[in-house]
Amino acid sequence: MDKIVANLAEAVAVVEDGATVMIGGFGGAGAPIELIHALIDRFRATGSPGRLTVINNNAGNGRIGIAAMIDEGMVAKMVCSFPRSSDPRAFTEKYLAGEIELELVPQGTLAERIRAGGAGIPAFYTPTSYGTELAAGKPVAEFEGRSYVQERWLKADVALIKAELADNHGNLTYRKAARNFSPLMAMAARTTVVQAHAIVEPGDIDPEHVVTPGIFVDHVVKVAEAAQEEALIRQGVEYA
Amino acid sequence: MKLTNAQIAWRAAQDIEDGAYVNLGIGFPEMVAQFQPSGRAAIFHTENGILNFGEAPPAGEEDWDLINAGKKAVTLKPGAAFFHHADSFAMVRGGHLDVAILGAYEVAETGDLANWSTGPKGVPAVGGAMDLVHGAKRVAVITDHVTKDGKPKLVKRCSLPLTGVGCVTRVYTSLAVIDIVNARFVLREKLPTLSLDELQALTGAELLVEGGIINLNVPEV
């Protein structure tokens, strides 16, 4: 059992044209910047992968990470809850020009749709969005006197996530609130690619402390000195 | 005369009990945390996966993996917990939060809330607003009583896109405290300098009075 890959380029080689890609992170916390930039490097060198559907809570910030993917023209569609940020130019310009599609999903519904995708549950009912324009066209049913909206699972070809510790089985821990969507995305993607701050021996992560069990993880690459997206934004860094 | 935002937040904080699990919406509602009465400690929840977070750290000591839903740096209190997004929203939708305090563009007497969109222009963004209005035992709104143009924000029916239907239970405004009971506004407290008629003229639906009206007295904060 060895899920460790040698470098970032190898790690992101699984992403194909037209793929649906879940990317972990909430704002800068948990954003796998190095995996994203490796994907951009590949696109610049080869013109692939393009026409991507990207699933993330947000739609990028500044000129790095997901925003840089959008600037580069790799993203055809965003599925997210909050496509705004301190510097939302990349998404906003493309969206207002009609060059990128948006599926807006309430944040808790987004999380549960991803969880359902990973758990083999094709649809579920939630009170969220009942009676609002985001429920338009969706089946509604009453349970115990209250109305609920049917939502469908969300799955992906690939998930790109950032972990704190990993072992060669793919068992993962996360750092603080950088966890957010990543454990759910690891479940919901056909192939889950992880960048980890450190890779430790099997058994060094106490089984009681494993957050994502290795069964949900396919490839792990070590990125010891990972950038923090928010710090890069504040430094005015652009991935150009 | 009207209450400042800080004073509205102060008033809302007086109704939060010791040990309550509370979610404060991004922006103005975050102010409520500053005004907890002494001897009471609520436990604050943030959508991105923290229970029992505390104040912002000093400038320069931010850890950007430790942020709240507004993407601001926070700190942890003893007894804090991290969890993933599905668990976080299970806390919300599953009815485990005691109180959610949110901002508003409009609140209808039916308890409908509009607070996420001002219409079809620009880039739409909803975040966790539509989830937060479901599940907390009390969903309270803090808001100016009227818009910047002086139009009522408390209305018969919302004109802006809805966040949720029949979800708000209490509104703390710059002029009054109003409960929503059986799809009607019931006035509980008002500034003593304002007559009921004056308040009614600034409100877009009828204010009922059940029992007495308490003077809304808030210290300078």
Side-chain angles (χ1 to χ4, degrees), chain B residues 80-192:
Chain B
F82 296 123
F83 36 85
H84 63 60
H85 247 83
D87 280 354
S88 184
F89 281 89
M91 293 173 195
V92 175
R93 277 186 258 96
H96 305 284
L97 293 177
D98 295 296
V99 189
I101 299 182
L102 308 168
Y105 298 139
E106 292 174 323
V107 183
E109 65 178 352
T110 51
D112 295 359
L113 173 67
N115 78 346
W116 75 282
S117 169
T118 52
K121 265 182 67 178
V123 178
V126 65
M130 285 190 185
D131 305 277
L132 280 169
V133 296
H134 298 287
K137 294 177 186 82
R138 298 201 296 118
V139 176
V141 158
I142 58 175
T143 179
D144 230 302
H145 200 87
V146 296
T147 66
K148 288 197 178 77
D149 313 333
K151 296 201 180 73
K153 295 183 81 166
L154 278 63
V155 295
K156 253 191 119 46
R157 297 290 178 271
C158 293
S159 61
L160 293 169
L162 291 183
T163 308
V165 174
C167 51
V168 177
T169 55
R170 173 166 267 207
V171 187
Y172 302 93
T173 80
S174 47
L175 304 177
V177 177
I178 293 162
D179 281 338
I180 292 171
V181 182
N182 299 327
R184 301 295 298 272
F185 287 133
V186 178
L187 178 64
R188 301 296 187 198
E189 304 175 21
K190 69 168 183 62
L191 290 181

Side-chain angles (χ1 to χ4, degrees), chain A residues 55-219:
Chain A
I55 301 170
N56 177 264
N57 184 63
N58 303 98
N61 192 2
R63 293 291 194 231
I64 56 173
I66 292 172
M69 286 176 76
I70 293 170
D71 272 336
E72 206 67 40
M74 299 168 69
V75 183
K77 180 180 178 182
M78 282 300 314
V79 181
C80 68
S81 86
F82 203 76
R84 289 186 200 149
S85 65
S86 58
D87 178 3
R89 279 174 297 170
F91 179 80
T92 302
E93 286 167 10
K94 285 247 187 324
Y95 179 78
L96 295 179
E99 292 168 4
I100 196 166
E101 198 185 330
L102 170 66
E103 181 178 342
L104 190 71
V105 184
Q107 198 174 126
T109 297
L110 181 63
E112 192 64 16
R113 288 179 65 192
I114 297 168
R115 199 198 71 80
I121 306 287
F124 59 91
Y125 282 90
T126 174
T128 302
S129 91
Y130 172 73
T132 77
E133 59 189 59
L134 295 190
K138 293 174 183 167
V140 168
E142 204 173 283
F143 297 89
E144 298 182 11
R146 254 184 103 186
S147 295
Y148 295 82
V149 177
Q150 189 193 88
E151 295 282 358
R152 292 182 173 235
W153 59 7
L154 207 46
K155 295 185 283 188
D157 298 300
V158 181
L160 304 179
I161 66 176
K162 181 182 188 178
E164 179 67 4
L165 300 181
D167 62 25
N168 61 9
H169 290 252
N171 294 309
L172 306 178
T173 69
Y174 300 90
R175 185 171 182 275
K176 303 186 178 179
R179 180 181 308 193
N180 54 68
F181 286 89
S182 296
L184 311 170
M185 291 177 169
M187 295 165 64
R190 197 155 37 83
T191 304
T192 292
V193 180
V194 178
Q195 65 168 78
H197 170 67
I199 294 174
V200 298
E201 292 299 315
D204 282 0
I205 304 173
D206 185 334
E208 297 279 11
H209 298 164
V210 170
V211 179
T212 292
I215 191 171
F216 299 127
V217 172
D218 298 281
H219 306 298

